[in-house]
Amino acid sequence: THPARALAKEGEAAPGADAGARAERVLRFAEEKLRLAEEGMRALAEREAEQRRKADEAEAQASALEGQLEEAEAQKAKAEGEAQEAQAGKVAAEERAAAAEKTAKHASETASAAEEVTALVTDLQEELERAAKAAEDAAATSDESEKRAEEVTQNAAELKAKLAEAEARAVAAETALEEAELSAEQASDVAAQATATAEQAMALVAAQKVAEEEERADREAEAKRKSADTAAMAGFNFDEANDEPAYACDWEDSVTYNARMAFWSRALLRMDELRAAGHVSTEAADMLRMLCWRRNKALRALLERAEEEAPSDTDHLAGLLAPITQRKERPGMHVVHVTAELAPVAKVGGLADVVTGLGRALQAQGHCVEVVLPKYDFLDESQLNGLRQIEGLEVQVPFDNRKVPTNVWSASVGGLPVLLMDPQTDHFHRGSAYGSHDDMARFQLFCAAAMEMLATTERRPDLIHLHEWTGASAAPLFREKYARGSLGSTALVFTAHSLEHQGCDGAHVLDRLGLDRGRLHTDEKMRDPHNGGRVNLMKGAIAACDQMTTVSPTYASEGCTREDGFGLDGALSSSRRSNKLTGILNGIDYDAWDPSSDPHLRARYAVDEEADGETVLRALEGKGVNKAALQQECGLKLDGNVPLVACVGRLAAQKGVQLIRHAIYRTVERGGQFVLLGLPCVGRLA
């Protein structure tokens, strides 16, 4: 199932290989191991230097914190001194207030005396008036009365003097009263001000104490956080052993598995949010996505902590992930598949199974994999776990002299992260993957959307893997537009699953993608070998890619011949001479096709030592039950002793349709049964 195993088997199949060549390969292998060891030593030295630098920074931060603590203690002492001064001021104000009360009391007594003097003056005035009247009367009657009048006048003068003195004393009393009232008001104001100052000082001291408690709590929390981060990072590694299983385990039911997949789908969206908000760099975002796709246990612990402490705070999440994003190691390669099919959500032929199986195999080896797929209207959304549109992301795709708004959806299919391209047109609302009159334009738009999405989201995969003619348009687009930008370090691989279908049309199709006809419509690049006026998308992908593969070593060899190359034999032969063409035998996904867990079988079965006899039968017993179920479904005679031959495949001439036809007749003649499943591509078989 893995390319390395296939190559190993191919090497084992050549026992006559030259011993010298084998020795040379061993030597190269040893040199490569030595080079990797040296790189590891250099990386270790860099890590040690980085750790020393961080230790120095921590010491500097500790010194700064000590200085801040001393400054806080000085401020505390100053605040306490101010509080003592305020308390003394309050005591002095209370004393002045007491003195003011005494003054007010004296003023009150003076006012009472002034009132008595005023009453006396009034009485004297009345007596003076009576005396004056009597004097007038006496002057009129006799001289004796004149003498008496003089006496009365003298008495009146004395009384006037006493009256003037009394009035002066009254004025002085009123003035003293006003001064006493003013002094009392001033003393009250001073007392209130002193009280307010004392309260402010006490509040300042209390606030200082609260600030010190908060600072102490913050230091303790920071110490705990650093301790937790240290503990988390102590167990954090990029090894496969620290990852959760990619598929459902024996101990886990479907509900638990789906919940686990939903968690990691949310995690991938959080990584995109961090990158969009500028909290992490593009390289760090790629690393975090890789760890999400590998379901790293230590990363899960940090994400769960972030959801518990601050579910929607991206700043908090970025802080928790900082120890990871600052590391320089990368956990694996980032591979993006661009394909028109993916099992089981969009399966037409073997292409869907190959992409799904290869993606899972790469995941199991620690690489992160993304699959880019059109968002067909016939997709089974029940198979798309965590399907959601990525908010805030609308890709403007340059296509056919306009910008096509394209939404991007994310989901998980069998543990594989999938990005669905959804152009706001009807190109993928046809009810099927293929068979429309404008298939060429449909899949050119899909390729343009895939490349523009990678550039817009600043993804920088190590490898873009294109499949079939439906993904071939992305190759010249990549080479002409995107390889000079953010995807400059990305390698391009193209796989031809069927050389018969190449994607040919007039040269105008290059205009849709904004590509230069003069540069690309040449014999070396995209000119169709059968019709020079047309372009050949598969030939363009062969010319533009860094490496090309086919579905087996035999098929790669056959493609280099005129009989089986379908016109591409020249391009393929040139690629083989430049070590650019490799044939890798397709395998199967052992998990998807395991008869002991396949939900589509009437009876599950396994080798005898793994069968329990109830839910999983012994191999021959289980096969007998499934054979009878197939005979019943196809309307055949139920007979366990009759040989039943089944053939599943695309009924194309290249597959040997006439041989299949002969096998059907021969099986029936000898008393057997034959079941055929496949889509005819050559008309009638009989």
Side-chain angles (χ1 to χ4, degrees):
T1 60
H2 189 268
R5 297 177 186 170
L7 291 175
K9 290 180 179 180
E10 184 178 356
E12 292 173 358
D18 183 73
R22 287 199 299 273
E24 184 178 352
R25 287 197 297 273
V26 171
L27 179 59
R28 287 199 302 270
F29 179 75
E31 292 174 347
E32 180 65 15
K33 284 288 186 180
L34 179 60
R35 184 183 64 80
L36 292 175
E38 292 175 349
E39 291 181 355
M41 292 298 292
R42 286 196 297 272
L44 180 60
E46 291 177 357
R47 271 199 303 274
E48 292 177 351
E50 182 68 13
Q51 291 174 353
R52 288 196 297 270
R53 183 185 65 78
K54 290 183 178 179
D56 294 340
E57 291 179 354
E59 291 179 358
Q61 291 177 355
S63 299
L65 289 174
E66 290 178 356
Q68 293 176 0
L69 180 59
E70 292 176 356
E71 183 179 354
E73 291 177 350
Q75 292 178 353
K76 176 182 176 181
K78 181 179 179 181
E80 291 176 349
E82 292 177 352
Q84 293 175 355
E85 293 177 358
Q87 186 66 24
K90 180 179 179 182
V91 172
E94 290 175 350
E95 293 176 352
R96 293 182 63 184
E101 289 179 358
K102 291 180 179 180
T103 304
K105 184 177 180 180
H106 177 69
S108 177
E109 293 174 352
T110 305
S112 298
E115 290 177 357
E116 293 177 357
V117 171
T118 301
L120 178 61
V121 170
T122 302
D123 293 340
L124 290 173
Q125 286 178 342
E126 291 177 353
E127 186 176 351
L128 180 62
E129 290 176 356
R130 287 194 299 270
K133 186 176 180 181
E136 291 176 358
D137 293 341
T141 56
S142 66
D143 295 335
E144 186 178 354
S145 296
E146 290 178 358
K147 184 178 179 180
R148 187 178 177 181
E150 290 177 357
E151 294 177 355
V152 172
T153 301
Q154 185 178 358
N155 291 335
E158 293 177 355
L159 289 174
K160 285 182 180 179
K162 291 181 179 179
L163 178 61
E165 183 181 355
E167 288 177 350
R169 290 179 63 186
V171 172
E174 290 178 356
T175 303
L177 178 62
E178 291 177 355
E179 290 178 352
E181 290 177 350
L182 179 60
S183 298
E185 291 178 357
Q186 290 177 348
S188 177
D189 292 341
V190 171
Q193 184 177 4
T195 302
T197 303
E199 291 176 352
Q200 290 177 356
M202 294 174 67
L204 180 61
V205 172
Q208 184 68 25
K209 291 182 179 179
V210 171
E212 290 175 357
E213 291 296 331
E214 291 179 350
E215 184 178 358
R216 186 181 301 108
D218 290 341
R219 287 199 300 269
E220 292 176 355
E222 180 69 13
K224 290 180 180 179
R225 186 189 70 77
K226 290 183 178 179
S227 177
D229 290 342
T230 302
M233 291 305 297
F236 193 95
N237 61 77
F238 294 138
D239 297 335
E240 182 179 350
N242 197 43
D243 298 337
E244 294 179 358
Y247 314 119
C249 305
D250 295 337
W251 46 263
E252 151 178 89
D253 56 26
S254 60
V255 175
T256 305
Y257 173 74
N258 290 335
R260 187 158 60 89
M261 293 301 102
F263 174 86
W264 288 112
S265 295
R266 292 196 307 273
L268 281 170
L269 292 174
R270 294 299 302 275
M271 300 307 107
D272 288 338
E273 290 175 0
L274 287 177
R275 179 65 194 99
H279 290 296
V280 297
S281 65
T282 300
E283 293 78 5
D286 287 342
M287 178 182 294
L288 291 171
R289 290 190 191 103
M290 293 176 190
L291 294 173
C292 286
W293 293 321
R294 283 180 47 179
R295 301 167 184 83
N296 187 275
K297 294 178 183 177
L299 177 61
R300 182 187 183 103
L302 294 178
L303 293 174
E304 289 176 340
R305 175 181 166 189
E307 287 189 350
E308 180 181 354
E309 295 176 353
S312 59
D313 190 345
T314 54
D315 292 332
H316 181 64
L317 177 59
L320 290 178
L321 299 180
I324 302 175
T325 57
Q326 292 172 0
R327 296 179 62 139
K328 295 183 179 180
E329 300 96 328
R330 296 196 63 184
M333 293 183 65
H334 179 188
V335 181
V336 174
H337 289 273
V338 178
T339 177
E341 299 183 31
L342 180 69
V345 295
K347 176 177 168 59
V348 177
L351 170 62
D353 294 311
V354 170
V355 175
T356 302
L358 178 58
R360 288 176 173 174
L362 291 172
Q363 272 189 335
Q365 289 193 347
H367 304 294
C368 60
V369 181
E370 281 184 300
V371 179
V372 184
L373 183 75
K375 191 176 186 299
Y376 299 110
D377 58 352
F378 61 83
L379 294 178
D380 182 4
E381 294 190 0
S382 65
Q383 301 280 353
L384 295 167
N385 297 316
L387 176 64
R388 60 177 293 182
Q389 182 177 340
I390 300 178
E391 297 182 1
L393 178 59
E394 183 181 82
V395 180
Q396 299 295 324
V397 181
F399 184 75
D400 203 11
N401 295 320
R402 62 191 177 106
K403 298 283 188 179
V404 178
T406 301
N407 295 327
V408 182
W409 296 66
S410 66
S412 175
V413 177
L416 281 176
V418 180
L419 296 169
L420 300 166
M421 299 297 102
D422 185 20
Q424 300 306 291
T425 63
D426 67 342
H427 285 85
F428 297 103
H429 298 175
R430 308 291 176 82
S432 62
Y434 311 120
S436 298
H437 68 282
D438 58 347
D439 276 358
M440 176 71 73
R442 294 172 65 221
F443 290 105
Q444 280 190 306
L445 174 58
F446 163 62
C447 290
M451 298 306 300
E452 189 65 22
M453 180 275 297
L454 293 177
T456 300
T457 58
E458 296 185 348
R459 281 172 164 79
R460 296 180 181 177
D462 297 290
L463 182 70
I464 298 177
H465 194 160
L466 310 178
H467 297 269
E468 287 287 58
W469 75 267
T470 49
S473 295
L477 268 176
F478 169 83
R479 195 61 64 194
E480 295 295 314
K481 288 188 175 183
Y482 298 97
R484 299 186 182 93
S486 60
L487 299 177
S489 60
T490 301
L492 193 66
V493 172
F494 173 70
T495 295
H497 299 260
S498 172
L499 294 172
E500 184 177 0
H501 304 284
Q502 301 173 4
C504 301
D505 205 341
H508 65 280
V509 299
L510 297 176
D511 299 336
R512 293 184 188 140
L513 301 175
L515 298 175
D516 187 351
R517 290 196 201 185
R519 282 178 48 81
L520 298 178
H521 193 207
T522 63
D523 291 335
E524 294 78 16
K525 294 184 178 179
M526 297 188 70
R527 178 173 285 131
D528 183 42
H530 297 293
N531 185 338
R534 295 157 62 92
V535 296
N536 186 307
L537 297 184
M538 185 172 286
K539 182 179 178 182
I542 295 172
C545 69
D546 296 297
Q547 286 290 319
M548 177 187 174
T549 70
T550 62
V551 296
S552 72
T554 302
Y555 197 53
S557 299
E558 291 174 349
C560 295
T561 65
R562 182 173 299 178
E563 294 76 17
D564 298 313
F566 295 95
L568 296 178
D569 50 287
L572 294 174
S573 297
S574 176
S575 296
R576 167 158 283 191
R577 287 192 297 270
S578 60
N579 295 320
K580 184 176 174 179
L581 173 63
T582 305
I584 301 175
L585 185 63
N586 276 346
I588 62 171
D589 187 336
Y590 289 156
D591 293 294
W593 296 97
D594 184 357
S596 67
S597 59
D598 193 337
H600 302 291
L601 293 179
R602 179 69 59 86
R604 300 176 184 177
Y605 61 90
V607 294
D608 293 350
E609 56 268 23
E610 297 179 3
D612 58 17
E614 297 179 1
T615 58
V616 180
L617 304 179
R618 295 175 180 270
L620 290 180
E621 183 182 359
K623 287 185 176 183
V625 174
N626 291 322
K627 177 181 177 180
L630 181 59
Q631 288 175 329
Q632 182 178 8
E633 185 171 348
C634 295
L636 300 175
K637 179 181 177 181
L638 295 178
D639 188 343
N641 295 321
V642 173
L644 176 59
V645 180
C647 178
V648 181
R650 187 166 55 91
L651 303 180
Q654 189 180 13
K655 303 293 184 180
V657 175
Q658 297 305 317
L659 295 177
I660 296 175
R661 178 176 179 273
H662 175 74
I664 294 174
Y665 285 116
R666 184 62 173 164
T667 300
V668 174
E669 287 175 0
R670 301 189 63 178
Q673 298 173 338
F674 199 102
V675 176
L676 176 64
L677 176 63
L679 181 66
C681 300
V682 293
R684 292 174 57 85
L685 295 179

